[in-house]
Amino acid sequence: LDVACCRNKADDQMVGIKLTEMVKRVQMTKEEEEMYLRSQNGILKEQRGFSVVPTDFDPSAGHDISQFLRQNSNMPCRGKELSRICESILKRRPQTKIVVFCDGRINASFHAQQALQREGVECTWLDPEDTVERRNEKISWYQ
């Protein structure tokens, strides 16, 4: 984020731009827990758990991390937490522009967009059907 938000900015243009990092824990429903564990494709059942991280997946051993990542990006508890984070920022500073970076290869941006809209948080997103000009218009609004 510090590189992304600083792109094309230098010296005095950086005044007021700061990186804020948060770590949030979410409570999964029983159904989400089961889906989370099932998504650990290739990991032996006895080794599956809630502390599994992406580096635990070994493609050379037949592990498929894509299902795990897709499941994570689509969990309702995570979408609700993303919405709560955005709402808390906007409540304190209504003019703040928030950029949510997502992995497009696993549809994470689509899931984030859906979660924000479901919770009533207004957002702009880069639609796959957008022309280059339209994408540039959307991106320039955040600069």
Side-chain angles (χ1 to χ4, degrees), residues 3 104 116:
V3 174
L116 291 169

Side-chain angles (χ1 to χ4, degrees), residues 120-131:
V121 179
E122 292 184 37
C123 61
T124 302
W125 64 93
L126 299 180
D127 192 291
E129 303 298 317
D130 284 346
T131 64

